[in-house]
Every structure is written in structure tokens, then in C-alpha cells.
Amino acid sequence: MTKNDKPLGRGLGALLGGAEIPTGVSAHYAVGNNSMIKLESIEVNPFQPRTQFDEQALNELAQSIKTYGLIQPVTVRPIENGKYQLISGERRFRAAKMAGLTEIPAYVRTVDDVQSVQMALVENIQRSDLNAIEVALCYQLLIDECHLKQEELSDKLGKDRSTISNYLRLLKLASETQIAVRDKKITMGHARALVVIEDEDLQNKIVRQIISEGLSVRQTETLVKKYSSDFKNQKTKVKITLSDEVRTFQSDLSKKLQTKVNIKKDISGKGTLTIPFASDEELKKIMKLLQ
């Protein structure tokens, strides 16, 4: 970014390279001028990170739409076969269906696939009711689909890189833990403490204990340290015997390379395969044999 490029932070322009963003009723929207679009012609955005919609809130919005109509238009883009794809406004779109509407007002934007992804995801990031996992998915999709590095995403969104990193780390958690975060059974603070637990079964065990005992984040951090220490000691004490298949492979490889090959494993299944060499010539010989 240059000195004149100001990150818009909570705006879409930061990612759209200056593309026009509708801030109110724009030229794209005027009743009777191709602005009312049939619901059957609108497809949801495949990059919508929101996985849950509160049914009660949707029912309340649907009732409001029945009474007052859909006040805030959704944003769509035209795709093939006379169809449109939602860029933002899926909650309004769903509620309009529940209210029995057959068409709704929409801002029609002509944007490419990348811009559509950016707009949909950034619009979601701006929402205060997204859970931590959904925010993390937004960040990851922006990185993957828009080919951004964490540093670039940090600059464009006006977010600390550490904040983005902390969210992205949540996606490494076990499925049960992610669901607990999504359902707000544990907080992001609890989840951050659990990231260091690589064993999925142990992580799930701690999550259940957090929920059943109502543990605080600080109590969770203490518990994680205890379990981590116990688990590490357990792996150190348990002697792992290699299977006949692995020992045979180790012996055959040693003969082929004419050097001692060593295979070690721990209780989790992780380990190392070591091939020692005494000189550059011996290394080249091993490389040649392995090719």
C-alpha cells in the first residue's frame, strides 16, 4: 500500500480497488426499473460463511416484512440464464420467502467472481452477530479465493495481523470444539487456549469439561497446561514397539543404502526416519540410491 492508500477497515472499497459501493438508493435501484427481482431468479452465494440463521429472528423479520415490506434491498449480481446471485442480504432473502413474497427490491451490481466473493465476505465480517468460527471462515476464504496474504488482509481490513491470526487458528481446532464455539457454549478465549492441544480426543475431553463445569478462560488455561504436561509425560514413558512390517522396511532400507536407518515413533503415531551419513560422498551415494 502507498501512503495515499487508506485501508477502509470496515468498508468494501478497501478490497474492491475503488469500485463504486452503494451507500443508499443508487441509480441501480428504482422501483419499476428492473429493480424488483423474482425470488425464484435469485441464487444464494456459495461463499456465504454463515452456517446458522436464528429461526426466531427470521420469523420476526418475516412478520415485519409482511407488515411493512422489505425496506432495505438485497445486493445481487447478474449471472447466466437470467439468474442473479446474492452478494449480500441472505437473511432478508430468507425472511422474504417466509413472508410469502414473490419478488424483492435489489441493488444490481456488475462485478466479477473475485469482487463478488470480496463483497460477500467483507459484508459478513462487518456484522457484529457473526460467531468466531464464521469470522475465521471469512478471513480464510478471502485469503484463499482472493489470493491475499495475512499481511495484505490485515492492511486492507484495518485489522491487526495478530487478530486475524488468532481467528484463523480456530480453524485448526477439532470439529467438536468448533461447534462449541459456533453454538456459543465456549468463548473464543476458551478456544484459543485449546489450540495448543493437538490430540483431538484430549481436546474434546477438555471442551466437555469446560461446558459441564462452567470453567472460566483462566481455569481452562490452567487445565490445558496440566493435560499437556501429563500427555507429554505419557508419550515419553510409553515405549513404542515397531510393527513387523515397519521393522522389515527399516532393515531392507538399511541394506539398500548400506547405512543404519533408524525409525522412531511416539504414542500418537508421530515419529522420525533417520538416515545418517559420514561424508559428502556418502550423502551423494544415498541420494543416488533413493532416486
Side-chain angles (χ1 to χ4, degrees):
M1 294 179 66
T2 65
K3 292 182 179 179
N4 294 325
D5 291 331
K6 295 181 180 179
L8 300 188
R10 285 139 295 279
L12 298 177
L15 287 173
L16 293 178
E20 177 193 355
I21 306 299
T23 55
V25 177
S26 72
H28 292 294
Y29 171 69
V31 174
N33 187 26
N34 297 323
S35 57
M36 298 300 293
I37 299 177
K38 291 186 180 299
L39 285 172
E40 63 185 21
S41 298
I42 301 176
E43 298 179 359
V44 297
N45 194 316
F47 293 100
Q48 164 66 269
R50 182 180 292 279
T51 56
Q52 289 186 312
F53 291 85
D54 186 279
E55 284 298 320
Q56 183 178 346
L58 277 178
N59 284 323
E60 290 174 356
L61 180 57
Q63 188 57 49
S64 173
I65 290 172
K66 283 182 181 179
T67 304
Y68 302 106
L70 184 59
I71 297 173
Q72 183 182 359
V74 299
T75 303
V76 299
R77 67 169 182 145
I79 52 178
E80 67 277 358
N81 301 322
K83 297 283 187 177
Y84 296 85
Q85 185 183 82
L86 272 176
I87 293 176
S88 64
E90 184 169 342
R91 182 171 170 272
R92 280 164 278 154
F93 171 74
R94 287 173 177 249
K97 273 189 173 181
M98 293 171 64
L101 271 60
T102 58
E103 57 181 14
I104 54 175
Y107 296 111
V108 180
R109 302 295 312 281
T110 304
V111 295
D112 60 25
D113 288 345
V114 173
Q115 287 179 319
S116 177
V117 172
Q118 292 174 338
M119 291 176 70
L121 295 175
V122 177
E123 192 266 348
N124 271 287
I125 289 172
Q126 294 174 28
R127 300 182 63 89
S128 60
D129 58 344
L130 279 185
N131 64 59
I133 296 299
E134 290 170 335
V135 172
L137 285 171
C138 283
Y139 289 151
Q140 189 62 60
L141 282 168
L142 279 168
I143 289 170
D144 292 342
E145 299 300 327
C146 302
H147 309 294
L148 297 173
K149 296 179 180 179
Q150 284 192 37
E151 297 90 336
E152 295 171 324
L153 188 59
S154 172
D155 289 340
K156 289 179 179 294
L157 294 178
K159 300 277 188 181
D160 288 339
R161 185 183 174 188
S162 60
T163 298
I164 293 174
S165 295
N166 285 334
Y167 273 104
L168 291 175
R169 290 178 73 196
L170 299 182
L171 300 180
K172 297 180 181 179
L173 293 167
S175 298
E176 185 173 332
T177 308
Q178 290 193 35
I179 291 171
V181 176
R182 182 198 69 188
D183 295 343
K184 299 181 180 178
K185 293 180 179 178
I186 64 174
T187 67
M188 184 172 175
H190 291 106
R192 286 177 59 184
L194 289 165
V195 168
V196 298
I197 301 294
E198 295 182 359
D199 183 83
E200 187 169 318
D201 291 336
L202 178 57
Q203 191 182 111
N204 291 336
K205 177 181 178 180
I206 299 174
V207 167
R208 294 172 197 142
Q209 189 171 345
I210 293 170
I211 296 171
S212 64
E213 298 180 15
L215 301 181
S216 67
V217 172
R218 186 173 293 277
Q219 288 172 321
T220 299
E221 290 171 345
T222 301
L223 188 64
V224 164
K225 288 180 182 178
K226 177 183 180 300
Y227 275 122
S228 295
S229 177
D230 291 346
F231 191 67
K232 184 177 180 181
N233 291 335
Q234 181 188 19
K235 288 198 296 181
T236 302
K237 291 176 183 178
V238 176
K239 183 178 180 180
I240 303 300
T241 302
L242 300 177
S243 67
D244 290 341
E245 181 184 11
V246 174
R247 282 191 285 110
T248 299
F249 168 77
Q250 179 180 252
S251 176
D252 291 344
L253 188 58
S254 293
K255 291 176 182 177
K256 179 179 179 180
L257 300 179
Q258 298 177 10
T259 186
K260 184 178 179 180
V261 173
N262 191 26
I263 297 177
K264 290 184 178 180
K265 289 174 57 181
D266 63 25
I267 195 171
S268 70
K270 294 180 180 180
T272 59
L273 188 156
T274 307
I275 304 174
F277 55 89
S279 65
D280 287 341
E281 283 187 9
E282 194 169 335
L283 173 60
K284 289 178 181 178
K285 181 180 177 182
I286 291 172
M287 291 169 62
K288 186 175 181 180
L289 289 169
L290 287 174
Q291 288 175 347

